[in-house]
Amino acid sequence: MPELPEVETIARDLNGAVRGGEIASVRVLRPDVLRESTPSSFVSRVTGTTIDQVWRRAKYVVGDLSSGDRLVVSPRFTGAMLIESGKWTKGRDDYTCIVFALTDGRTMRWRDVRRLGTVAVMNQKLFAAWEASLGPEPLDAGYTAELFTAAMRSSRRAIKTVLM
């Protein structure tokens, strides 16, 4: 599973590559990677939106869409969001799960060999509830050494468990 710094790098790279890009069409090839929606609702909610920003929350990549929805991606072990300069065509050994055709002719696709990663589209209310279930953001300016120390001292669990 990629660690937080790796997911931060993924989010920053995606933000630089697709920020402002409009999604012309979506194809869901492997629906088992979807969470929070059916393939048809996922396609209808994402198609025609613009990717306003891509950022990281915990070990998830979050894409803010112009509709107000958020695309939430968990890479897990083998998941990757790939950007290609042209139209995508399926190969024999391809593990592509979702294909996003952008209006500029590029393709963004979710590829996951083991299909352990997930992709969800969430409205603002669902995203707020999901985000509230996560722990504190360690890179946030409000997360101080005092808060970290208090969290560590309040637990009797193994340090690795507490940190994760």
Side-chain angles (χ1 to χ4, degrees), residues 93-114:
D93 61 347
D94 195 354
Y95 295 96
T96 298
C97 302
I98 304 173
V99 179
F100 303 84
L102 304 179
T103 57
D104 64 7
R106 295 181 300 155
T107 301
M108 179 173 76
R109 63 186 174 101
W110 173 248
R111 180 182 185 273
D112 193 349
V113 174
R114 296 172 68 191

Side-chain angles (χ1 to χ4, degrees), residues 68-70 122-132:
D69 284 339
R70 289 198 164 127
M122 298 182 189
N123 62 29
Q124 292 177 1
K125 184 178 178 181
L126 182 60
F127 183 83
W130 171 80
E131 187 176 32

Side-chain angles (χ1 to χ4, degrees), residues 50-118:
T50 299
I51 302 166
D52 292 336
Q53 180 180 0
V54 180
W55 52 287
R56 179 199 55 77
R57 176 62 172 103
K59 291 185 180 181
Y60 298 87
V61 176
V62 180
D64 293 339
L65 302 177
S66 59
S67 64
D69 284 339
R70 289 198 164 127
L71 197 61
V72 179
V73 177
S74 173
R76 301 253 173 113
F77 293 99
T78 58
M81 193 68 82
L82 306 172
I83 310 298
E84 297 173 349
S85 60
K87 187 177 178 181
W88 170 81
T89 54
K90 185 175 174 85
R92 284 187 346 179
D93 61 347
D94 195 354
Y95 295 96
T96 298
C97 302
I98 304 173
V99 179
F100 303 84
L102 304 179
T103 57
D104 64 7
R106 295 181 300 155
T107 301
M108 179 173 76
R109 63 186 174 101
W110 173 248
R111 180 182 185 273
D112 193 349
V113 174
R114 296 172 68 191
R115 293 202 319 264
L116 298 172
T118 60

Side-chain angles (χ1 to χ4, degrees), residues 14 22-23 34 37 40-42 45 62-63 69 71 85 104 110 119 122 127-128 142 146 152 156 161:
L14 278 172
E22 185 179 341
I23 300 170
L34 291 178
S37 64
S40 60
S41 69
F42 182 85
R45 289 175 67 185
V62 180
D69 284 339
L71 197 61
S85 60
D104 64 7
W110 173 248
V119 178
M122 298 182 189
F127 183 83
E146 292 79 19
M152 294 300 110
R156 293 210 175 280
T161 305

